[in-house]
């Protein structure tokens, strides 16, 4: 067995392992259609390697060569379909399938050209380059937020496009690809081509697999950190994300504030109108927070009827306005399952991040301001003046500051 054939056998088994890996993800998450298409792509890759390996056994190799070409080009089409599903891009099935048929027919007829003809070699390799470039444009056109792995995938797709486009030139430099299809595997070009293909094929598969695993883990983490009723972060998720946002705010030297809210007389609502009505109140208030929050804000349900929102880039005055706006809108909104004239209210505590202050310190001050609001008759906003003002003073302050100020 020649070196090129040995690489073909290795590629056959590697493609099988990768198909199994993508199918495992598809089975684990039935809604991940992209993994099924990627698995199918590598199954077609297995077919290609098996057909390539069998070519020397045929006297008339034209149908087998065309079948191998169609299998590999079909694998790239399936791969692009998986990418389109993954990145939320409209699947370009009609143009890709038309291109597959057109290129396959073209390869069948260019068999009549001289074996070392550049046109003949280009007819084999340029369609692969075109499909890799199509994959690159799919990722580029996605509106999803791209991370490091996504940029790595684009780089590999771009490099793979170039390597397919360069293969006719490599074949010419290395003396061609054999006198006939049966002798192809014995040429230096076959060894180089199969080796380069192995490197790029593995790189594409591993980066794509890493992206899918990243997404699966991110979704699992998101589900574990999300409160199902309010669809906000639960307490653990809120504290983790707020800590990250706080560190980022401190790094960028921007202001940040925390607003804590508590639904007034919530137990009375549950006892009087039932828990379904209480759930509806929570959903309504959470909806106000989601609508009012920007993408960089962190909102969560941190207790039964207690909510919090961390506001990076927001000072105390703006955070108080945010709380006042939410309080007013919520108090004026009729809620399903409650009498038409019944209105709910909420109390709010607001604190701005002080210099060198930890998140737990900020949370403690906002919580203290919330209790001030509860003690002031509810349905109002109270703000913490700052970390220093929260400490007991040996004598009355002379600058007019107070630990808590402001009303709703």
């Amino acid at each position: 067995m020649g070196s090129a054939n040995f690489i073909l056998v290795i590629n056959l088994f590697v493609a099988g392992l990768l198909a199994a890996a993508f199918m495992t993800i598809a089975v684990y998450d039935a809604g991940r259609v992209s993994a099924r298409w990627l698995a199918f792509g590598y199954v077609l890759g297995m077919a290609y390697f098996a057909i390539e390996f069998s070519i020397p056994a045929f006297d008339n190799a034209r149908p087998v060569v065309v079948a191998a070409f169609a299998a590999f080009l079909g694998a790239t089409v399936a791969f692009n379909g998986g990418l389109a599903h993954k990145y939320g891009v409209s699947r370009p099935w009609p143009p890709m399938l038309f291109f597959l048929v057109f290129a396959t027919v073209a390869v069948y007829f260019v068999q009549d050209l001289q074996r070392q003809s550049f046109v003949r070699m280009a007819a084999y390799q340029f369609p692969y380059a075109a499909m890799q470039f199509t994959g690159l444009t799919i990722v580029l056109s996605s509106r999803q937020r791209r991370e490091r792995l996504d940029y790595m995938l684009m780089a590999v797709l771009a490099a793979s496009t170039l390597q397919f486009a360069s293969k006719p030139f490599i074949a010419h430099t290395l003396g061609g690809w054999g006198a006939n299809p049966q002798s192809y595997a014995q040429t230096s070009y076959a060894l180089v081509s199969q080796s380069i293909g192995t490197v790029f094929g593995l790189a594409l598969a591993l980066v794509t697999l890493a992206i899918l695993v990243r997404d699966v883990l991110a979704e699992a983490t998101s589900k574990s950190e999300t409160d199902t009723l309010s669809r906000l972060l639960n307490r653990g998720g809120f504290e983790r994300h707020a800590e990250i946002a706080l560190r980022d705010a401190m790094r960028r030297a921007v202001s940040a504030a925390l607003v804590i809210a508590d639904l007034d007389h919530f137990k009375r609502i549950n006892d009087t109108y039932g828990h379904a009505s209480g759930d509806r109140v929570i959903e309504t208030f959470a909806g106000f927070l989601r609508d009012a929050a920007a993408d960089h804000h962190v909102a969560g349900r941190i207790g039964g009827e207690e909510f919090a929102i961390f506001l990076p880039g927001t000072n105390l005055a703006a955070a108080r306005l945010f709380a006042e706006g939410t309080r007013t809108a919520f108090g004026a909104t009729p809620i399903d399952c409650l009498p038409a004239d019944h209105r709910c209210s909420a109390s709010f505590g607001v604190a701005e991040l002080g210099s060198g202050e930890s998140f737990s310190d900020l949370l403690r001050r906002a919580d203290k301001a919330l209790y001030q609001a509860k003690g002031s008759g509810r349905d109002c906003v109270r703000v913490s003046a700052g970390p220093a003002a929260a400490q007991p003073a040996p004598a009355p302050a002379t600058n007019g500051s107070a630990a808590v100020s402001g009303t709703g």
Side-chain angles (χ1 to χ4, degrees), residues 107-332:
V107 164
Y108 180 85
F109 284 107
V110 298
Q111 301 279 316
D112 295 325
L113 297 178
Q114 195 272 331
R115 172 80 177 162
Q116 306 305 328
S117 165
F118 182 84
V119 173
R120 180 171 177 166
M121 288 187 283
Y124 277 86
Q125 301 299 336
F126 285 179
Y128 300 146
M131 282 296 101
Q132 296 287 265
F133 184 75
T134 300
L136 175 60
T137 60
I138 286 172
V139 182
L140 278 171
S141 63
S142 174
R143 295 184 178 180
Q144 296 178 6
R145 179 174 175 268
R146 287 190 284 267
E147 300 178 8
R148 185 176 301 174
L149 282 174
D150 304 297
Y151 288 110
M152 287 178 61
L153 176 61
M154 288 191 292
V156 175
L157 284 167
S160 184
T161 299
L162 293 175
Q163 65 98 10
F164 278 119
S166 67
K167 279 189 175 182
F169 303 97
I170 295 175
H172 179 74
T173 301
L174 296 178
W177 53 352
N180 53 55
Q182 292 86 348
S183 62
Y184 161 76
Q186 311 306 318
T187 64
S188 299
Y189 168 72
L191 178 61
V192 172
S193 178
Q194 293 296 336
S195 299
I196 294 175
T198 299
V199 171
F200 280 99
L202 273 176
L204 276 177
L206 293 177
V207 174
T208 307
L209 189 61
I211 288 172
L212 291 185
V213 171
R214 176 202 67 189
D215 292 350
V216 168
L217 292 176
E219 288 183 15
T221 301
S222 177
K223 289 178 181 178
S224 70
E225 293 181 341
T226 301
D227 174 64
T228 54
L229 178 60
S230 66
R231 291 184 289 129
L232 300 174
L233 293 169
N234 57 29
R235 186 179 188 99
F238 172 77
E239 290 183 349
R240 188 177 79 84
H241 287 275
E243 288 271 12
I244 295 172
L246 182 145
R247 289 196 295 269
D248 183 63
M250 294 177 69
R251 178 182 59 81
R252 294 186 293 116
V254 298
S255 58
L258 177 66
V259 176
I260 298 182
D262 190 87
L263 303 181
D264 297 330
H265 306 297
F266 185 73
K267 185 177 185 302
R268 186 184 303 170
I269 295 173
N270 276 335
D271 293 343
T272 305
Y273 302 107
H275 288 280
S277 297
D279 289 348
R280 185 60 186 145
V281 173
I282 288 174
E283 290 172 344
T284 302
F285 187 80
F288 278 108
L289 289 185
R290 284 196 305 273
D291 292 341
D295 291 340
H296 63 286
H297 294 162
V298 182
R301 181 186 177 197
I302 61 175
E305 63 270 19
E306 192 170 1
F307 300 80
I309 181 163
F310 183 70
L311 306 168
T314 304
N315 61 22
L316 189 63
R320 179 178 176 177
L321 286 175
F322 177 94
E324 288 284 9
T326 305
R327 182 189 69 81
T328 302
F330 179 64

Side-chain angles (χ1 to χ4, degrees), residues 30 34 37 39 63 83 182 255-256 287 325-326 371:
S34 58
W37 279 108
L83 287 183
Q182 292 86 348
S255 58
T326 305
Y371 275 95

Side-chain angles (χ1 to χ4, degrees), residues 66-80:
V66 174
F69 172 85
F72 193 77
L73 191 61
T76 64
V77 169
F79 185 88
N80 288 344

Side-chain angles (χ1 to χ4, degrees), residues 50-51 53-65 181-182:
I51 295 171
F53 189 77
S54 69
I55 286 177
F58 292 87
D59 293 331
N60 179 15
R62 175 182 285 206
V64 190
V65 169
Q182 292 86 348

Side-chain angles (χ1 to χ4, degrees), residues 315-386:
N315 61 22
L316 189 63
R320 179 178 176 177
L321 286 175
F322 177 94
E324 288 284 9
T326 305
R327 182 189 69 81
T328 302
F330 179 64
T333 301
I335 297 176
D336 298 341
C337 302
L338 296 181
D341 60 345
H342 189 283
R343 294 293 183 269
C344 297
S345 65
S347 302
F348 295 79
V350 183
E352 183 178 0
L353 181 67
S355 177
E357 192 173 26
S358 68
F359 180 73
S360 60
D361 294 332
L362 180 65
L363 184 64
R364 190 179 307 112
R365 288 197 297 110
D367 199 48
K368 183 176 179 180
L370 171 63
Y371 275 95
Q372 290 282 343
K374 287 289 188 181
S376 300
R378 297 182 171 86
D379 191 20
C380 62
V381 177
R382 291 291 183 269
V383 298
S384 172

